[in-house]
Amino acid sequence: MRDQLLSARGALVAAMLSSVAMPAFAQEAPAVQTPAAAAPGEIVVTATRRSESAQKVPISLQALGTATLEQHQVQSFDDYVKLLPSVSFNSFGPGQSQVYFRGINSGGDGLDVGSLPTVGTYLDDIPVTTVGNSIDLHLYDINRVEALAGPQGTLFGASSLAGTLRIITNKPVMDKIEGGYDLQVNKFGKGNAGGTAEAFINLPLAHNVAIRLVGYYEHDGGYIDNTYKERTFQLDDGDPTTKTTVNNDKYVGKNQNDVDTYGGRATLKIDLDSDWSVTPQLIYQKQISHGSFLFDPNAGDLTVHDFIGQVNRDEFVQAAGTIQGKISNWDFTYSAGYMDRHKHQTLDYSYYSVAYDHYSISAGSAAKGTYYYYTKFPDGHGGYLDPDQFEYVNMHYTKQTHEVRLASPSTGPVKVTIGAFYQRQTDQIATDFTVAGVSETGVPTPNTAIQPLDAFPDVIFLKRLYRVDRDTALFGEGSWDITPHLTLTAGIRGFHVNNSLYGFSGIGATGRKASCAPTSDAFYPCISVNKDYQESGETHKASLAWKITPRQMIYFTYSTGFRPGGNDRRAGTPSYQADRLTNYELGWKTTWFNNHIRFNGALFRENWSKIQFSLPGANGQTYLLNAPGGAVVMGVESDAGYYNHGFSLTGSMAYIDAHLDDDFCNSRGCTPKGTQLPATPKFKMNATARYEWRDSPHKPFLQGTVSHQSGTRAALLDSYVYPATNYLGETVNQFGYTGAFTTFDFSAGAYFKTLKVEAFITNAFDTRGILSKAAACALAECRADARVYPTKPQQFGLKLSQRF
């Protein structure tokens, strides 16, 4: 099997070097070691922890190979997710996305002290899922992206509740020097210019040692403007002497949301002998983005009113390694990884101040007690400070993982994979909510419950939390060829989770006392939470596959998934429990007419129980609970392709009906049974037509892609979606729904010996599709100014590639 893997990897690299722009699936057939009569589009995957054709795997799986990624200008998460119809997401920008499969989303993910993700993300064999937001790895010299829909709890474990997303890199090739580079310049039609420089090289260092080096730098131009805005804060019950007017003049500018991403990858492969190899790998990436990636429709198209220069710095390094070999005739694999990720953000939190000021006016003593003193800060000279709040976020993630597997030979009627897994991930959270100048005045605020902490200048709300999530598991999966045409597969995973949360989250009082008892710990002003959550259980899988012919298969799969529970940060509140997903899936994998047509698909039903959900509570502290009742997801997903010499027509689609199966009632009101789950379109599709003149010496090509998705519900709760009346008697416009949209991408190019030149235009007609919505703050008033995350505007580009 090792030799087959090496051949497959080498062939994949060769396919990429010969052409970055072959038909979307047709040229991925030579990239795998399949028989001469293999169908176009067959890609070797490792979704079952064994190398086999995706057409042979009885699960719903979409694989984007090297050629497909290159042909669609894929460099980031946003680029490839539009090619995966079963995948949706919420996002605040690069490195700030939460991923969902098949609509399994309550709208409450992405919090630093919230639920773990519902989707497991892997880089090669190493999970890189982190609480909060997924990493946004720049994709270059990538073998494939695998999207495994449905619970993958048997082989991939925690946070693979709804599916698993895998990014597989190209590995070193022995006895061969090869390399290449790609240069790109681009410009948004409504924005600035950008560009990319990428290169890789494969170098044999000895007859049994090779290294593969990858480096890249990408600059994305901005396209969202920050325009002038004035605000007048009342600060009291209509008393004109307390009014304060401020503006954002010094932060105004055009096209502010630019991004710089740079990094690299080094992979070393050492063949110890004919059976054993060691593959260490080091990956580094730093990404710096400015401005807001969501615009405010009330301010104008691609426009915001920010009162600070927003910055997001996301840096990570991962050291990983794999040992592969044979124990007798069983394949042994040990993989381990350690990731260290730092995120530093400066965010505009001023919409909270606007809402607090609004609610405190003529709202009675109750509102005054809740909101009034969040905006009234004396300046020591008879006036008042600008009450706009800003948020400074520092996150330090670490993730350590170990997995060992034994797999029986691939020959014979019975195949078994067994293994053990351990991971420990930490999140150290340091977040300051500040009002500039509060500490310098030396004047107490009118309410002694809200004071800057002595050790934290200008900070009026503070988070210092340390979170640890641990997961230990034993797993096994086996398949039995009952007959040459009928295969039964079954698997089980037993797990134990131990999650803890420690630290402080709250408002300041006098000195370091904050809002709880003092402590001698210099890191924390006090301890408001010190909790531990443990749980054990198992997930299951059973599948029956019928190979009608060598090229047609149908299968039925039953599988379950879990997401660990955890600790609510409020003192005295119970933990939230693991939620569960049960999946029933009837699928097919087929090719027809002498392999000119591929047609795959799956019908599925999923039952989601004990849904983890978050709600905003007192002092802006979000709390977590398990929703009563559950949700049901039903749908169909499919991918297909037609191939005829130089012409290919490929595409994929998903129809997903995800809705509550019971009424969901809580402190924010009731949302009825049948309500659509948020952020997931009911229908999403893409189709690509490509023609290459193969007989021409320059092999020119043309390609066009259409992508479409229906509208989405922007939030789960009715109280967030529909217009509501606040306690001042005013109508507040809520999130509502997003609309359907369609985008078109085009590209053309040719080869000149070893050079390839390509021109492309994405979102050719500058469609302003809305992918997700987010409020500027958690209060109802802020949802009237909800910002929207759009498709990238029209972009023109020119790309030059060379392979040697």
Side-chain angles (χ1 to χ4, degrees):
M1 178 177 286
R2 184 185 66 85
D3 292 335
Q4 293 173 345
L5 280 168
L6 290 173
S7 299
R9 289 168 179 161
L12 275 163
V13 175
M16 184 183 71
L17 298 180
S18 63
S19 172
V20 196
M22 291 287 136
F25 290 91
Q27 286 304 308
E28 281 152 6
V32 297
Q33 289 286 311
T34 53
E42 286 198 46
I43 303 175
V44 164
V45 297
T46 51
T48 60
R49 302 295 197 176
R50 295 174 181 269
S51 296
E52 56 187 325
S53 167
Q55 290 296 107
K56 310 290 186 184
V57 180
I59 62 174
S60 184
L61 160 70
Q62 188 174 355
L64 307 176
T66 301
T68 302
L69 297 172
E70 292 283 351
Q71 290 162 12
H72 290 85
Q73 325 304 329
V74 170
Q75 293 182 327
S76 67
F77 170 79
D78 282 21
D79 297 331
Y80 66 79
V81 75
K82 69 180 183 181
L83 302 175
L84 303 172
S86 294
V87 181
S88 58
F89 66 100
N90 280 323
S91 183
F92 289 89
Q96 302 174 72
S97 298
Q98 303 92 51
V99 191
Y100 316 114
F101 270 85
R102 292 180 174 174
I104 300 301
N105 167 33
S106 66
D109 299 328
L111 300 172
D112 49 24
V113 290
S115 302
L116 289 164
T118 62
V119 171
T121 303
Y122 278 68
L123 186 52
D124 292 320
D125 250 2
I126 310 299
V128 292
T129 318
T130 61
V131 66
N133 301 307
S134 301
I135 65 169
D136 194 357
L137 179 71
H138 178 92
L139 297 194
Y140 184 67
D141 194 36
I142 297 298
N143 187 303
R144 64 190 182 274
V145 173
E146 296 179 9
L148 286 61
Q152 306 297 323
T154 302
L155 292 178
F156 294 98
S159 285
S160 287
L161 174 80
T164 301
L165 198 60
R166 306 181 70 217
I167 300 170
I168 311 299
T169 63
N170 282 321
K171 303 302 186 297
V173 181
M174 298 295 177
D175 303 321
K176 184 178 183 182
I177 297 176
E178 60 182 8
Y181 65 86
D182 294 81
L183 302 174
Q184 182 185 132
V185 292
N186 54 61
K187 185 183 183 304
F188 289 111
K190 293 184 177 180
N192 285 342
T196 305
E198 305 162 310
F200 76 93
I201 189 166
N202 185 92
L203 294 172
L205 304 180
H207 76 279
N208 63 331
V209 181
I211 191 170
R212 195 175 191 92
L213 302 173
V214 176
Y216 52 85
Y217 172 77
E218 177 185 3
H219 173 74
D220 295 329
Y223 48 84
I224 292 181
D225 301 336
N226 188 29
T227 57
Y228 184 79
K229 174 77 172 179
E230 284 189 356
R231 289 173 175 162
T232 298
F233 292 95
Q234 301 295 324
L235 307 183
D236 208 341
D237 288 332
D239 182 352
T241 64
T242 65
K243 287 185 179 180
T244 296
T245 298
V246 300
N247 65 63
N248 66 341
D249 183 62
K250 63 181 178 180
Y251 300 111
V252 168
K254 293 183 68 63
N255 306 321
Q256 290 195 345
N257 63 319
D258 56 32
V259 189
D260 288 285
T261 306
Y262 57 89
R265 184 172 75 243
T267 309
L268 183 70
K269 184 174 176 60
I270 305 170
D271 286 339
L272 303 176
D273 57 28
S274 60
D275 290 331
W276 289 86
S277 66
V278 179
T279 311
Q281 184 182 75
L282 185 67
I283 298 175
Y284 171 81
Q285 178 174 291
K286 186 170 185 177
Q287 187 174 72
I288 304 173
S289 59
H290 300 94
S292 173
F293 288 78
L294 289 79
F295 75 90
D296 182 356
N298 294 325
D301 183 41
L302 299 180
T303 302
V304 295
H305 297 316
D306 281 347
F307 279 68
I308 197 172
Q310 300 200 102
V311 182
N312 179 49
R313 293 180 175 87
D314 190 352
E315 181 178 25
F316 76 89
V317 60
Q318 177 175 279
T322 302
I323 300 173
Q324 293 177 305
K326 285 189 176 294
I327 298 177
S328 183
N329 61 346
W330 285 55
D331 290 315
F332 170 87
T333 302
Y334 168 70
S335 58
Y338 181 82
M339 182 174 69
D340 191 277
R341 181 185 186 191
H342 292 261
K343 286 178 67 73
H344 307 280
Q345 292 179 283
T346 300
L347 300 173
D348 187 346
Y349 208 67
S350 62
Y351 281 89
Y352 267 97
S353 301
V354 173
Y356 293 152
D357 183 66
H358 176 82
Y359 283 156
S360 68
I361 300 170
S362 302
S365 58
K368 275 186 175 297
T370 304
Y371 300 113
Y372 176 54
Y373 296 108
Y374 277 99
T375 56
K376 194 169 185 178
F377 302 102
D379 63 7
H381 303 287
Y384 295 90
L385 296 174
D386 176 355
D388 282 322
Q389 290 188 43
F390 306 105
E391 182 180 3
Y392 298 92
V393 180
N394 289 278
M395 301 282 191
H396 181 198
Y397 302 95
T398 69
K399 190 179 185 76
Q400 176 187 170
T401 63
H402 301 269
E403 183 174 275
V404 61
R405 297 192 307 273
L406 279 172
S408 65
S410 296
T411 57
V414 177
K415 305 173 189 66
V416 177
T417 299
I418 58 174
F421 175 82
Y422 171 78
Q423 74 173 0
R424 182 181 188 271
Q425 48 188 332
T426 70
D427 184 7
Q428 188 167 305
I429 304 160
T431 303
D432 298 336
F433 299 83
T434 69
V435 174
V438 170
S439 297
E440 298 174 5
T441 66
V443 179
T445 67
N447 187 344
T448 57
I450 305 173
Q451 304 290 341
L453 295 167
D454 290 347
F456 306 91
D458 293 345
V459 175
I460 64 170
F461 191 99
L462 180 76
K463 287 196 297 186
R464 292 294 187 273
L465 295 165
Y466 185 64
R467 171 177 181 163
V468 182
D469 295 273
R470 308 168 190 86
D471 175 21
T472 305
L474 297 174
F475 61 89
E477 184 171 296
S479 63
W480 173 34
D481 294 333
I482 302 172
T483 73
H485 301 284
L486 192 64
T487 300
L488 175 66
T489 301
I492 188 170
R493 187 184 190 99
F495 65 86
H496 177 75
V497 297
N498 183 357
N499 301 333
S500 59
L501 183 65
Y502 169 84
F504 170 75
S505 175
I507 59 178
T510 56
R512 296 183 66 244
K513 293 183 180 179
S515 56
C516 57
T519 176
S520 59
D521 190 334
F523 182 71
Y524 298 103
C526 63
I527 304 303
S528 63
V529 58
N530 187 3
K531 295 182 177 181
D532 185 79
Y533 174 84
Q534 298 191 46
E535 180 182 17
S536 298
E538 68 277 333
T539 59
H540 316 87
K541 175 184 176 181
S543 177
L544 188 63
W546 178 27
K547 302 178 185 68
I548 304 171
T549 73
R551 291 298 176 190
Q552 283 87 40
M553 175 182 69
I554 60 173
Y555 66 89
F556 174 79
T557 296
Y558 160 80
S559 58
T560 63
F562 81 101
R563 174 172 54 166
N567 304 288
D568 187 272
R569 62 171 155 161
R570 298 172 303 153
T573 56
S575 299
Y576 56 93
Q577 299 176 330
D579 48 3
R580 300 287 187 135
L581 190 69
T582 303
N583 173 61
Y584 306 91
E585 184 176 305
L586 177 64
W588 59 93
K589 302 280 183 80
T590 66
T591 56
W592 304 86
F593 302 109
N594 198 26
N595 298 330
H596 285 295
I597 294 177
R598 185 191 73 255
F599 179 46
N600 302 332
L603 298 166
F604 57 87
R605 176 189 172 99
E606 297 182 337
N607 297 328
W608 189 16
S609 60
K610 294 187 177 180
I611 300 171
Q612 295 176 16
F613 190 79
S614 62
L615 286 170
N619 298 322
Q621 297 190 65
T622 301
Y623 65 96
L624 289 109
L625 51 83
N626 293 98
V632 172
V633 181
M634 296 181 290
V636 58
E637 52 203 7
S638 177
D639 67 270
Y642 170 73
Y643 315 93
N644 191 0
H645 302 293
F647 177 73
S648 66
L649 179 62
T650 58
S652 53
M653 59 77 64
Y655 175 82
I656 299 170
D657 179 13
H659 59 269
L660 289 176
D661 198 37
D662 298 278
D663 293 346
F664 179 22
C665 296
N666 53 69
S667 60
R668 303 286 165 168
C670 285
T671 300
K673 175 180 178 178
T675 297
Q676 181 181 347
L677 298 184
T680 297
K682 281 196 170 184
F683 181 71
K684 182 180 177 183
M685 60 79 65
N686 65 82
T688 297
R690 185 178 183 88
Y691 189 77
E692 180 186 277
W693 286 264
R694 294 182 177 178
D695 296 331
S696 169
H698 297 300
K699 294 183 173 57
F701 61 86
L702 291 172
Q703 177 176 296
T705 298
V706 57
S707 301
H708 173 83
Q709 70 176 54
S710 61
T712 66
R713 182 181 170 102
L716 177 60
L717 300 182
D718 276 359
S719 57
Y720 287 11
V721 171
Y722 300 114
T725 302
N726 63 23
Y727 60 75
L728 296 180
E730 301 168 327
T731 299
V732 179
N733 293 320
Q734 306 286 63
F735 280 138
Y737 289 78
T738 68
F741 64 88
T742 305
T743 60
F744 294 86
D745 303 335
F746 301 100
S747 63
Y751 292 84
F752 300 89
K753 295 185 178 179
T754 60
L755 286 174
K756 186 192 74 169
V757 178
E758 182 175 7
F760 62 87
I761 177 172
T762 59
N763 195 2
F765 305 111
D766 199 31
T767 300
R768 199 69 69 241
I770 303 305
L771 296 167
S772 62
K773 285 187 176 183
C777 77
L779 301 174
E781 183 72 13
C782 295
R783 291 191 286 273
D785 295 309
R787 294 189 177 187
V788 299
Y789 186 71
T791 56
K792 293 178 183 178
Q794 180 190 69
Q795 185 183 48
F796 303 89
L798 183 66
K799 185 175 180 179
L800 175 69
S801 304
Q802 187 173 28
R803 300 291 183 261
F804 56 84

